Amino acid sequence: MRAYILKRFGESLVTVFIVIFAVFMLMRFMPVEGYFTREDFTEMTAEARQVYLQSIGISGNPFGQFGRFLSGLAVGDWGRSITVYPKTPIASIIAEKAGYSLAFGLSAIGISIVFGLALGIAMAQNKDRLVDSLGTLYVVVVRAIPSLIYLFLIQIWVSGILGWPMVFYADVPVSWILPTVSMALPGIAWYAIWLRRFMVDEENKDYIKFAISKGLPRKKVMTGHVLRNAAVPLVQYLPTQILLTIAGSLIIESMYSIPGLGGLLVYAIRQQDNPLVQALVLLFSVLGIFGVFLGDILMVLIDPRIKLEGTSRTGDHV
Amino acid sequence: MKRTVTALPYPARPEDVEAALFVPAPFDAEESERTGYSRYSYWRSTVRTFLKSRSSIVLLVLMISFSVFAFAYPLVSNTDPNEVSLELSDWNKRPGPGAGIFGTDGLGRDIWARTWYGTRTSLTLGLVIALFDVGLGMFMGALWGYVRGIDRVMTEIYNVLTNIPRTVVLVLLSYILQPGFWTIVIAMSSTGWISIARFIRNKVLTIRDAEYNVASRCLGTPLSRIITMNILPFLVSIVIMETALTIPYTIGVEVFLGFIGLGLPVKEVSLGNLINLGKNNFMLYPYQLTAPTVVLAVVTISFYIVGNKFADASDPRNHV
Amino acid sequence: MRKMLLIVIAATMALPLFAMGNQDGGSRTVDRYDNTYQVEVKTLNYFLLLDTTAQRVAANTQDHLVEQDRFGRFIPSLAESWTPNADSTVWTFKLRKGQKWVDHTGTPTTYEITADDFVEGFRYVSDPANGIRNISSVRNVIKGLYDYYYTLVDIDGGKIQDKTREAALATFGTVGVKALDAYTVEYTLTQPTPFFLSYLIMDLFYPVEKAFLDAVGPANLGIAKENMLYSGGYYLSDWQRDKLIVMTRNEHNWDKDNITVRSINMQKVSDPTVELQMFMRGELSSALLSAEQAKALEGSPFQDKVYMTDLTSVTFWWHPNYQSPNPEFNAFIRNENFRKALYYGIDHEKFLSLDDQVNPKGLIRSTIIPEDQCFDEKGRDFTDYPGVKEFKDRGNPYNPAKAREYLAKAIAELTDGKGSIRGVTAGPVDMKPIADFSVDGKLPIQMVYVHTTSSKSTTEALLFQAMMKDTFGDDTINVVLGQFVDNAYREAILPLKYDMMWSSFRFAYADPMAQFGRLVTDGGFLNMAVDSSKKTNTLFDKTLYDLVQAAAAETVLSRRYAAFAKVEKHIQDKAYIMPYRAGGGSYTISRMVPYTVPRGGFGVTRFKYKGMIVESQPLTAARVAELRTAFFEEFNKLTAK
């Protein structure tokens, strides 16, 4: 077990390294004018511009710059933002914003699991009846129509009908509901459709037929066998999902004025704030890769059918 | 001991019985085929299963008619979707006589025409991306499955590509290149192919070692026949499904890019541009958002459901 | 479970009822002002105001030596009194005693606001290492500053090797800003400057407490509410990035009785649709509306409450690129007839219909220097000087026949008569990622108009394109649309990736030099031209440059204005830039009573909330019109004196 964990950990580190290096190199393709303000540019001589570019790590030997970035990280220095929030330490920006994204994201995951699984069970038990059709309609709408449209309509209409605030206020709990629910909508659809399919498939399997014919109550078969088996693949993705809530939701955070991390990465790229972009990509990829790692280990722990030799990162889960 | 082996009506001795029963038969390709043959045809069954559901038929008809109309409309109509009116009275006209079926937008452009031109652009975008994704994905996936040596490398590529947020790739590329049709194609395909490749790779592994293929090989079926009869139909169904599902997804991505200001340029009419413009005026002129949204919803939903239904129908387990 | 749910829903439904409960019939005064901002501030360093949000915060949380009242007159602020010397080259200010800096909790610190704080503030902005952009507007005004500043620049750039940075910093005494005693500040200027007070309300002239600045570190000033001390009528009580900025009344300010509103709440809301909805639901005190939003309110209960704000000193102008990488446009824009064709070919009124469909004419400003801002010693407005007045009276210059005539002349001068532009070779143009196209060296002339991806800006671009086509036809000029995402300066102007665009320019201080200086002198847009054949920089227009230098040297206002009037006429005659719109003039709906706040065209005055009255109900347009009439009666009485 320990050897397996160590090996997987090593592999994860390599992946993280490649991801941040790739993004680091891509940022080099951005136009250099982006790093100046208008007055800077006109006031600086060509040499001064070059000195400035070197100092923020844009020109010069990319490997040297990358090395400096890594060694900074090693001593806990995330650097400072240069254009988005000039001179502000990146660690403090992330600390200030991550909480909002986490709080909304985790509540949304909670809601999507509870409601998604409930809807999935309801749909499976009423297969081909009204509940099932309505559920399917919901899933199709949420997954096929661009989210921007229905999220916008929810913000304008639902808040109007219920008389709730249109944007998030930290001190008005009612204003937390719409963004959280909006964030949970795709998750509910995902869990519902997945559980429905799983249950319908599973019901035709021999061991379930056997259990039922043996006289076990349906309910018990469902909770004791079907749902339990259903939990296995769910558990695998949960760590990644939970860890990545910190990345926030761009559209919803921007609509409801939630000061989370959602739009920050895109905004940082647009403002060519390289240190901030690198820090965020690093953070998100570490969490994402670490999540997969955790998920695999959890799988091994809870599913007796999986043996260590058989687990590979590209296993047959699709 | 002399034996006659021919034309003995009755076995005379036990040894003769055995000899007569176990004469090795000469290999006959036709005969061997017949043993594994049933009236089952993959395609016919797929189509039959698909058409069993009435809603699939309705949506298929909708999907085809909307697509055909989107591609035919620009050919038959002479309304210029980019025609700006300098008459203030032409701006923001509500739907009705003299203002087109969907009315006009803030510069007097005909929303009906723009919706269909936009649908065409979005469909083309989706098709091109699907083509790239599936083409590259299938090729690389097959390679990945068959050549064991590249497994480690491909796995690493997979890990990297799935861990760079897609928005980052989209935004970076839109800056480095120029926001436009091909930028979106490149950005989407550069990461999109990998999930298809992995899917194919897993399928290649399972199909290759699947019992029915092992059996075919034992029966001496040539490889080309295994590929065309057993593997290819399966892959073609993946292609169709992926294409159908990529279209709603691409439309969503394009709307999102418009939202963050990196959508297609103004001169290209697209659903994303229409939605984002309509959204800004929603409280004032709701039809500018709702009208294109209805068309968009029909397109995305029909593609989505048809894609899924087809995926179900193409699964041989559902062929009963 | 269901009961719980019902209770929750009932409770939440009741919430807005409480809010509504207060709004009975008549309007009353409230002491809270809620408004929004669209883009997060980069920094709240009050010496470095990069956007209007930062200006709003600085204007209210810091005081200057002087400020303007609601009629625009200069009145004492942190300085109790001041005296210029006979020729207005030395200005002495006497400070109020006993004023304390307060922190972000509103508690007075042990630091007193003294003359030294103004000197230290200026020391901070004079050091190029602190990156204070606006310094160029006073570099030639304060004595000794030019040399001090450029010595430091040269040391940083490696051009001066024999002097250390520390040694250069030690010479700050040569700069004309001094504390004569704890309560007396003296400014020494390079030349007589009767309008010097209008400089003092810029961000460059704020005080800073040296001990505190050293404690937080100069780089950290303004990156968090804890990293600043406050000298103004408000202190920054809360700042959450991308969420809100809250300013609370400073109960220890010298003028606290005139700080009428107790708290200013600014929220980040990026969608104008949401902003209007929030106003309608009582969550905001005021909202700006687009022309379309205003129109859509017709027939709603808010119909009679929409009014238009007064024009400001900000001016919008068409801004051609004289160093365009597009050889076709580059060839033509240097031709006076072509520029005149553009000047007469753009229908400003139609273009402004996007902002106001009822009276777009009312938004037009056809002079570079705004009216009602610069008055000579006899009270005569700069825009009434001969040479400027003709343009002020012209209004919309649109005249398609004339435009086509000028274009025909330009084409005759620059082409071989068969549609080939002389000296232009076919090839691709490097304007990526803004635009991607190639030129063929033939008519039509390719012209890249750049705009942001916002829907308003896109609409403008499309209208501009259609207007040009309407005036000139598409066989002579072809407008190519190019888009940038966020920042015009970074993405288009700096890398010179544009042919035409509009820009808006605020009027920094009460002198025509505020605009002409930024245009024509060092680093200005009409300062240098690249001679593409020799790849060298030459003066853009020597006559113009000399005119500005001569005007800047004049110290008697009437003579100065007469000289600057020649500058304005020269620029307009040559159609180098084309002013077309005044700032302000947007539809609004508000619970704030207009004309209660300080009035002024420059510095941070127009962002001050001192004296503001906010009511519980939106004002009707009729009442605003009455208030406006009453205000201008009083105002005219005062200025007539």
Side-chain angles (χ1 to χ4, degrees):
Chain A
M1 185 74 186
R2 181 183 292 165
Y4 170 74
I5 292 179
L6 277 178
K7 179 170 160 278
R8 281 296 325 277
F9 189 73
E11 285 173 355
S12 303
L13 275 184
V14 173
T15 308
V16 169
F17 183 82
I18 297 176
V19 168
I20 52 175
F21 185 69
V23 173
F24 180 86
M25 290 313 285
L26 275 177
M27 290 297 289
R28 285 297 191 100
F29 288 100
M30 306 282 274
V32 288
E33 289 87 358
Y35 301 106
F36 299 92
T37 64
R38 172 202 187 202
E39 288 82 359
D40 268 344
F41 199 79
T42 45
E43 302 229 324
M44 282 184 177
T45 59
E47 302 86 62
R49 285 178 204 158
Q50 210 49 43
V51 170
Y52 172 71
L53 285 177
Q54 288 236 352
S55 75
I56 58 169
I58 307 306
S59 69
N61 178 6
F63 297 99
Q65 304 284 7
F66 188 61
R68 226 162 300 153
F69 168 64
L70 289 185
S71 57
L73 281 180
V75 295
D77 178 14
W78 288 70
R80 288 179 176 227
S81 163
I82 54 174
T83 52
V84 174
Y85 309 113
K87 297 172 182 170
T88 312
I90 288 170
S92 79
I93 297 174
I94 294 177
E96 193 179 317
K97 292 171 158 290
Y100 290 99
S101 296
L102 272 177
F104 276 100
L106 292 180
S107 332
I109 290 188
I111 292 178
S112 28
I113 292 179
V114 172
F115 286 85
L117 296 187
L119 180 63
I121 294 171
M123 281 165 76
Q125 287 179 342
N126 299 288
K127 192 165 174 276
D128 297 328
R129 270 182 278 175
L130 184 67
V131 179
D132 193 22
S133 313
L134 286 180
T136 312
L137 181 73
Y138 162 75
V139 171
V140 165
V141 165
V142 165
R143 302 189 76 176
I145 296 182
S147 60
L148 185 64
I149 299 174
Y150 61 77
L151 292 178
F152 177 72
L153 295 180
I154 289 174
Q155 188 190 18
I156 296 283
W157 281 340
V158 179
S159 75
I161 293 166
L162 299 176
W164 290 352
M166 292 198 66
V167 295
F168 157 75
Y169 296 95
D171 50 357
V172 183
V174 160
S175 71
W176 308 346
I177 299 175
L178 280 184
T180 316
V181 171
S182 300
M183 228 176 266
L185 288 178
I188 294 176
W190 192 85
Y191 282 112
I193 200 72
W194 171 79
L195 187 65
R196 178 193 177 276
R197 184 166 280 185
F198 189 89
M199 284 178 66
V200 170
D201 280 357
E202 211 74 349
E203 263 181 271
N204 293 326
K205 291 215 169 135
D206 290 343
Y207 80 103
I208 298 292
K209 286 182 181 160
F210 174 71
I212 287 175
S213 57
K214 215 175 77 172
L216 270 177
R218 238 190 116 77
K219 210 168 171 181
K220 206 163 176 186
V221 176
M222 276 297 148
T223 50
H225 296 280
V226 177
L227 284 179
R228 212 180 138 180
N229 277 324
V232 174
L234 200 148
V235 160
Q236 193 196 4
Y237 291 112
L238 209 55
T240 319
Q241 253 190 328
I242 289 176
L243 288 176
L244 281 184
T245 51
I246 201 172
S249 155
L250 193 157
I251 296 181
I252 291 168
E253 287 185 4
S254 126
M255 278 181 165
Y256 289 93
S257 300
I258 299 169
L261 283 174
L264 191 58
L265 180 53
V266 170
Y267 191 60
I269 296 174
R270 286 162 55 153
Q271 299 285 322
Q272 298 189 213
D273 196 333
N274 294 22
L276 189 54
V277 172
Q278 279 153 22
L280 289 173
V281 169
L282 175 74
L283 177 69
F284 296 159
S285 58
V286 164
L287 290 178
I289 292 164
F290 187 63
V292 174
F293 171 65
L294 271 186
D296 285 356
I297 290 176
L298 272 181
M299 281 269 278
V300 175
L301 291 180
I302 65 160
D303 190 343
R305 289 171 301 183
I306 300 176
K307 293 190 184 65
L308 278 182
E309 302 82 65
T311 41
S312 93
R313 299 178 69 183
T314 52
D316 287 328
H317 45 80
V318 178
Chain B
M1 189 175 67
K2 197 179 176 214
R3 282 194 300 173
T4 47
V5 281
T6 48
L8 274 178
Y10 302 107
R13 290 171 306 200
E15 307 93 87
D16 292 335
V17 174
E18 277 180 21
L21 275 177
F22 296 100
V23 172
F27 176 72
D28 181 340
E30 213 172 292
E31 281 295 305
S32 83
E33 213 27 53
R34 191 162 297 157
T35 45
Y37 182 81
S38 75
R39 288 216 150 267
Y40 174 79
S41 149
Y42 176 80
W43 283 109
R44 201 176 302 146
S45 304
T46 301
V47 172
R48 196 186 303 134
T49 316
F50 182 82
L51 293 181
K52 246 197 287 185
S53 152
R54 195 165 302 153
S55 63
S56 316
I57 303 175
V58 173
L59 284 163
L60 185 68
V61 170
L62 268 179
M63 179 184 115
I64 293 176
S65 49
F66 269 58
S67 307
V68 168
F69 190 76
F71 282 96
Y73 178 82
L75 302 177
V76 294
S77 153
N78 45 18
T79 314
D80 178 357
N82 286 320
E83 171 103 28
V84 170
S85 170
L86 290 178
E87 288 305 315
L88 264 58
S89 57
D90 286 341
W91 296 359
N92 295 318
K93 273 206 260 179
R94 286 171 203 285
I101 299 168
F102 285 172
T104 66
D105 72 0
L107 280 170
R109 293 174 295 179
D110 186 276
I111 295 180
W112 173 255
R114 293 180 66 72
T115 303
W116 292 108
Y117 273 90
T119 309
R120 186 180 66 162
T121 311
S122 297
L123 285 177
T124 318
L125 190 67
L127 281 174
V128 172
I129 290 171
L131 218 68
F132 272 96
D133 274 4
V134 172
L136 194 63
M138 270 175 55
F139 179 75
M140 293 307 288
L143 217 62
W144 189 357
Y146 274 103
V147 188
R148 303 256 41 160
I150 60 167
D151 191 60
R152 277 196 84 84
V153 178
M154 290 299 293
T155 308
E156 196 54 50
I157 294 178
Y158 174 81
N159 290 332
V160 170
L161 286 185
T162 44
N163 272 295
I164 297 183
R166 191 171 271 209
T167 11
V168 171
V169 179
L170 282 169
V171 175
L172 271 176
L173 280 178
S174 303
Y175 262 89
I176 295 165
L177 307 169
Q178 187 184 359
F181 188 91
W182 289 104
T183 305
I184 297 184
V185 171
I186 294 172
M188 298 275 294
S189 305
S190 59
T191 54
W193 67 274
I194 192 74
S195 45
I196 296 181
R198 200 186 74 159
F199 184 72
I200 300 284
R201 172 251 186 202
N202 289 341
K203 285 298 164 196
V204 165
L205 290 186
T206 37
I207 294 174
R208 193 186 54 183
D209 302 330
E211 280 151 4
Y212 62 91
N213 280 328
V214 176
S216 286
R217 252 174 300 176
C218 291
L219 286 169
T221 316
L223 185 65
S224 60
R225 204 175 160 77
I226 294 185
I227 289 177
T228 50
M229 293 301 286
N230 294 1
I231 297 182
L232 216 55
F234 186 77
L235 292 185
V236 170
S237 72
I238 293 177
V239 173
I240 297 180
M241 184 186 91
E242 277 299 328
T243 313
L245 294 183
T246 303
I247 283 170
Y249 182 67
T250 324
I251 293 178
V253 168
E254 206 241 311
V255 171
F256 172 76
L257 281 176
F259 176 73
I260 61 172
L262 292 171
L264 288 171
V266 203
K267 60 172 189 278
E268 306 231 25
V269 189
S270 75
L271 288 176
N273 284 347
L274 270 170
I275 299 292
N276 281 298
L277 205 63
K279 188 178 142 283
N280 283 315
N281 281 350
F282 179 69
M283 295 311 285
L284 334 169
Y285 308 106
Y287 65 91
Q288 294 181 359
L289 177 66
T290 47
T293 297
V294 168
V295 173
L296 176 140
V298 172
V299 170
T300 52
I301 289 179
S302 63
F303 269 94
Y304 182 83
I305 296 182
V306 168
N308 272 314
K309 293 266 182 191
F310 186 83
D312 288 347
S314 66
D315 185 346
R317 281 179 301 174
N318 294 333
H319 294 181
V320 196
Chain C
M1 181 64 200
R2 270 180 70 170
K3 238 183 208 166
M4 277 281 284
L5 204 71
L6 280 176
I7 292 171
V8 170
I9 292 176
T12 51
M13 300 276 274
L15 207 87
L17 291 180
F18 288 116
M20 303 284 266
N22 294 331
Q23 299 180 359
D24 45 31
S27 195
R28 35 180 200 84
T29 310
V30 293
D31 67 349
R32 183 187 155 110
Y33 181 67
D34 293 270
N35 66 1
T36 63
Y37 60 101
Q38 285 205 351
V39 181
E40 181 56 36
V41 287
K42 294 198 173 295
T43 170
L44 287 182
N45 180 346
Y46 51 88
F47 293 114
L48 182 61
L49 304 181
L50 300 172
D51 53 54
T52 55
T53 311
Q55 284 176 316
R56 281 195 272 169
V57 173
N60 292 293
T61 57
Q62 303 294 343
D63 273 350
H64 278 117
L65 287 168
V66 297
E67 63 187 45
Q68 286 175 289
D69 68 4
R70 65 190 200 98
F71 298 105
R73 295 173 297 190
F74 284 96
I75 53 169
S77 186
L78 285 174
E80 261 174 337
S81 65
W82 59 88
T83 38
N85 67 349
D87 66 352
S88 305
T89 50
V90 179
W91 292 69
T92 314
F93 296 83
K94 287 276 174 201
L95 265 60
R96 243 172 251 283
K97 289 176 185 164
Q99 297 306 308
K100 291 278 168 60
W101 288 94
V102 303
D103 65 10
H104 68 280
T105 60
T107 322
T109 61
T110 53
Y111 305 121
E112 192 183 346
I113 302 171
T114 59
D116 270 337
D117 299 347
F118 286 90
V119 177
E120 289 307 327
F122 207 74
R123 189 198 298 273
Y124 180 84
V125 298
S126 307
D127 185 348
N130 291 325
I132 303 304
R133 321 295 181 207
N134 262 338
I135 194 74
S136 55
S137 37
V138 294
R139 212 159 38 204
N140 294 315
V141 175
I142 305 286
K143 199 171 177 186
L145 177 60
Y146 189 94
D147 291 338
Y148 176 79
Y149 183 84
Y150 276 110
T151 306
L152 284 168
V153 168
D154 288 343
I155 290 173
D156 294 345
K159 277 193 193 155
I160 295 181
Q161 305 276 3
D162 56 347
K163 198 171 186 185
T164 63
R165 197 160 211 285
E166 288 66 35
L169 287 173
T171 63
F172 185 71
T174 57
V175 178
V177 181
K178 292 200 172 50
L180 300 185
D181 60 50
Y183 302 105
T184 314
V185 201
E186 184 189 85
Y187 292 88
T188 312
L189 314 178
T190 53
Q191 68 175 40
T193 311
F195 48 89
F196 181 61
L197 291 180
S198 71
Y199 281 108
L200 286 180
I201 51 175
M202 293 171 72
D203 46 6
L204 302 168
F205 291 92
Y206 279 123
V208 70
E209 173 53 53
K210 179 80 166 47
F212 181 80
L213 182 67
D214 288 344
V216 295
N220 293 331
L221 184 69
I223 62 173
K225 62 178 190 289
E226 296 83 3
N227 286 4
M228 285 188 287
L229 292 181
Y230 307 94
S231 58
Y234 292 86
Y235 60 92
L236 185 62
S237 52
D238 201 357
W239 175 27
Q240 286 179 47
R241 286 200 167 80
D242 291 306
K243 182 62 197 164
L244 54 82
I245 296 172
V246 181
M247 297 186 276
T248 309
R249 179 163 62 203
N250 174 5
E251 302 295 345
H252 305 279
N253 184 262
W254 62 274
D255 201 16
K256 71 170 184 338
D257 297 337
N258 288 319
I259 316 287
T260 37
V261 174
R262 207 184 58 80
S263 87
I264 311 279
N265 297 54
M266 296 159 61
Q267 287 208 60
K268 187 184 170 200
V269 174
S270 356
D271 189 333
T273 309
V274 173
E275 186 182 338
L276 175 56
Q277 282 295 308
M278 286 173 70
F279 179 85
M280 291 167 129
R281 297 179 195 179
E283 292 173 43
L284 294 179
S285 310
S286 67
L288 286 179
L289 312 176
S290 69
E292 285 171 332
Q293 284 178 318
K295 202 176 166 198
L297 286 179
E298 282 169 16
S300 82
F302 293 94
Q303 179 180 3
D304 59 341
K305 309 210 166 58
V306 176
Y307 69 95
M308 187 161 263
T309 59
D310 290 341
L311 300 183
T312 69
S313 63
V314 171
T315 304
F316 291 62
W317 55 59
W318 297 106
H319 191 138
N321 182 359
Y322 291 99
Q323 299 175 45
S324 171
N326 169 8
E328 292 188 358
F329 183 79
N330 202 32
F332 271 90
I333 197 63
R334 284 145 194 263
N335 180 288
E336 192 173 327
N337 285 321
F338 179 72
R339 292 195 301 267
K340 285 196 170 156
L342 292 181
Y343 179 79
Y344 289 110
I346 304 172
D347 186 349
H348 296 170
E349 198 179 326
K350 177 129 307 165
F351 192 74
L352 293 174
S353 302
L354 292 177
D355 294 339
D356 181 7
Q357 297 201 359
V358 185
N359 180 25
K361 254 193 186 130
L363 301 174
I364 292 178
R365 173 176 292 145
S366 45
T367 54
I368 298 167
I369 303 300
E371 64 288 348
D372 296 336
Q373 301 300 334
C374 303
F375 298 93
D376 68 11
E377 60 276 10
K378 292 180 213 92
R380 187 181 191 190
D381 190 319
F382 174 78
T383 54
D384 290 331
Y385 269 70
V388 184
K389 183 134 180 45
E390 57 182 281
F391 291 101
K392 183 186 183 180
D393 294 341
R394 182 173 287 170
N396 185 9
Y398 178 59
N399 184 337
K402 231 172 171 174
R404 282 190 286 266
E405 215 171 279
Y406 277 114
L407 184 67
K409 273 193 222 165
I411 288 175
E413 284 165 19
L414 296 174
T415 63
D416 61 1
K418 289 188 278 289
S420 287
I421 305 162
R422 263 184 250 130
V424 174
T425 43
V429 177
D430 180 22
M431 284 213 199
K432 279 180 191 166
I434 302 272
D436 186 13
F437 66 105
S438 33
V439 293
D440 55 5
K442 296 191 177 68
L443 293 178
I445 306 149
Q446 307 284 339
M447 174 161 106
V448 181
Y449 176 94
V450 300
H451 60 99
T452 73
T453 49
S454 79
S455 77
K456 167 86 192 310
S457 176
T458 305
T459 309
E460 284 176 355
L462 289 164
L463 183 61
F464 181 84
Q465 194 181 36
M467 290 192 318
M468 295 308 277
K469 191 176 162 191
D470 185 57
T471 308
F472 299 113
D474 43 12
D475 50 346
T476 48
I477 296 181
N478 176 40
V479 176
V480 177
L481 298 184
Q483 292 164 289
F484 57 89
V485 181
D486 286 308
N487 189 312
Y489 286 118
R490 267 180 4 157
E491 296 175 52
I493 297 181
L494 275 186
L496 297 168
K497 288 173 180 166
Y498 71 104
D499 289 338
M500 270 299 259
M501 68 189 303
W502 63 255
S503 283
S504 63
F505 291 83
R506 68 197 167 96
F507 195 49
Y509 50 92
D511 185 60
M513 191 64 181
Q515 299 298 39
F516 297 132
R518 64 151 40 121
L519 281 169
V520 181
T521 54
D522 286 358
F525 154 76
L526 300 178
N527 179 236
M528 288 292 176
V530 176
D531 183 338
S532 54
S533 57
K534 293 182 211 129
K535 291 276 175 220
T536 51
N537 284 345
T538 49
L539 267 185
F540 180 81
D541 176 344
K542 182 142 194 330
T543 320
L544 174 62
Y545 187 81
D546 292 343
L547 280 173
V548 173
Q549 295 299 331
E554 291 288 352
T555 54
V556 177
L557 281 185
S558 51
R559 292 170 56 126
R560 187 177 175 92
Y561 286 4
F564 272 121
K566 284 186 199 151
V567 175
E568 165 117 22
K569 183 170 162 50
H570 186 80
I571 295 180
Q572 294 249 31
D573 276 343
K574 298 269 180 194
Y576 287 142
I577 57 169
M578 303 149 208
Y580 72 94
R581 191 208 201 282
S586 42
Y587 286 108
T588 190
I589 181 162
S590 180
R591 294 193 275 116
M592 183 196 119
V593 183
Y595 308 108
T596 55
V597 290
R599 174 184 169 84
F602 12 81
V604 295
T605 300
R606 67 196 162 99
F607 301 102
K608 273 187 158 336
Y609 294 133
K610 187 181 270 190
M612 175 170 67
I613 294 172
V614 182
E615 298 191 341
S616 59
Q617 296 289 314
L619 277 87
T620 61
R623 187 157 153 236
V624 172
E626 274 169 35
L627 288 167
R628 181 176 286 153
T629 317
F631 173 80
F632 280 105
E633 260 172 35
E634 207 176 341
F635 179 78
N636 292 334
K637 239 185 271 167
L638 283 169
T639 48
K641 270 178 199 168

